[in-house]
Structures are given as structure tokens and as C-alpha cells.
Amino acid sequence: MSVDWADEREELYLLLLPLVIQAAQDGALSALDQLPDGDTVDIDEVNDAIVVWAEEYTRTLADGITDTSQAFVIEKLAETTEPDVLLEELTAMFGMPRAEMIGITEVTRSLAMGLVTAVGVAGVAASFRWDALADADNYDPNGPCVMNDGEVRAAGESFPSGDTEPPSHPGCRCELVLVL
């Protein structure tokens, strides 16, 4: 039995795309709810911009995950063909911890991009504050999130870590907060 990696890539893209769009839309709605009364925004224009971003980003994401997975499987098959060893190695790589890490990272990214996209479409002069979540399971007191925490930047400007929005690392749960 061989794996059709092109099919795997497409299946992953189709699985992730609606989830990425939904998270980005949630971020956009959060931004739109914070805009001053009287600011009108064409929600269809915001949604169209989110879909364009999500389609491009999700394609890149699915490609990266598939490429990493394929390389790992090939490497492990070159090392051993013992079923028990392969099962242990593959389970460690593709189990729930990896799925959770990818999910958390990509929801964080999509929420932030939805917020930034909505503000950009609205044409509102705004800045963004980085909020590190100190109670998160993967919080590192010496990590990049700490140096960004509480910092305010205009859209597209880099925070001290060099990132323009969360996530700053795999599993990042930081939030980007609109500052009007």
C-alpha cells in the first residue's frame, strides 16, 4: 500500500479551509464589534478578503504539513521496517499532541489575521496590543511572547519578537487586541 501524498495534501486543505475561515471570521467580528458607532463596513468585503487570505494561507499550511509528514515517514521507513518500532515512531509524530499544537497555532493565527483584515478593510486608523496568555499550558517566561506582552504597534509593524501578529511560536495562544 502506498500513500498518495497529493490526495493527502488536498484532503487536508479541504478539511482545514473551513476551520481557518471560521476562526478568521471570528477575529473579524471581534474587530468590527469594537469599531466606533457610525463606522460602517461592508461585511461582504471583509469576508471576501478573509476567504482570499484563508485559501492562500491554508494551501501553504496543508503543503507544509504534508511535506513534513512525508519526509518523516520516508525517514522512518529508511531506519526500520519493524512494525512495532514504526508504530511507536509514527504515533509519537502524528498523535494528539501534534494535532493540538497545530490546531492551537492556526486558530491563533486565523483570529489575529481576521482582526487585522477587518480593520484594514474598514480603513480605520488603529493599533494592536499583544496580550500574552500567562496561564497557557505552553507559556515560556523567557519566550518571545513575554517581550511582546502589552506592546502596541500599528498594523504591519513588528513587535519586539519580530512578529507582526501572533503566533510567535508553535502552540502560541497570545491574542492581538484592537486599540482605537
Side-chain angles (χ1 to χ4, degrees):
M1 178 180 161
S2 66
V3 175
D4 183 335
W5 290 103
D7 285 351
E8 292 291 322
R9 183 182 316 272
E10 187 63 18
E11 188 176 324
L12 184 58
Y13 171 78
L14 294 173
L15 175 74
L16 292 174
L17 182 61
L19 303 172
V20 170
I21 289 172
Q22 182 61 57
Q25 288 171 331
D26 290 349
L29 289 175
S30 171
L32 296 175
D33 286 345
Q34 296 175 58
L35 294 179
D37 291 338
D39 282 353
T40 57
V41 179
D42 183 347
I43 193 71
D44 289 332
E45 186 179 350
V46 171
N47 194 54
D48 289 347
I50 285 171
V51 169
V52 167
W53 171 81
E55 287 174 343
E56 181 179 326
Y57 178 74
T58 305
R59 180 65 63 195
T60 302
L61 176 62
D63 288 349
I65 292 170
T66 304
D67 291 347
T68 301
S69 299
Q70 182 178 12
F72 184 81
V73 169
I74 290 168
E75 175 187 329
K76 293 305 167 188
L77 286 172
E79 290 175 5
T80 185
T81 56
E82 291 293 323
D84 291 342
V85 174
L86 281 172
L87 180 60
E88 184 178 320
E89 293 284 338
L90 295 175
T91 300
M93 174 64 169
F94 300 114
M96 187 55 73
R98 182 173 188 233
E100 287 177 349
M101 184 269 305
I102 291 170
I104 289 166
T105 303
E106 300 314 326
V107 166
T108 298
R109 182 183 325 279
S110 297
L111 287 167
M113 289 308 300
L115 183 83
V116 170
T117 299
V119 169
V121 169
V124 174
S127 296
F128 301 95
R129 185 183 70 241
W130 188 294
D131 280 356
L133 299 181
D135 63 339
D137 292 335
N138 64 351
Y139 181 77
D140 178 357
N142 300 311
C145 299
V146 174
M147 69 177 80
N148 295 337
D149 191 32
E151 294 288 325
V152 177
R153 298 289 188 272
E157 282 187 22
S158 294
F159 285 87
S161 67
D163 299 291
T164 55
E165 68 275 322
S168 64
H169 57 85
C172 181
R173 296 177 190 222
C174 292
E175 295 178 348
L176 202 57
V177 178
L178 180 62
V179 177
L180 296 172

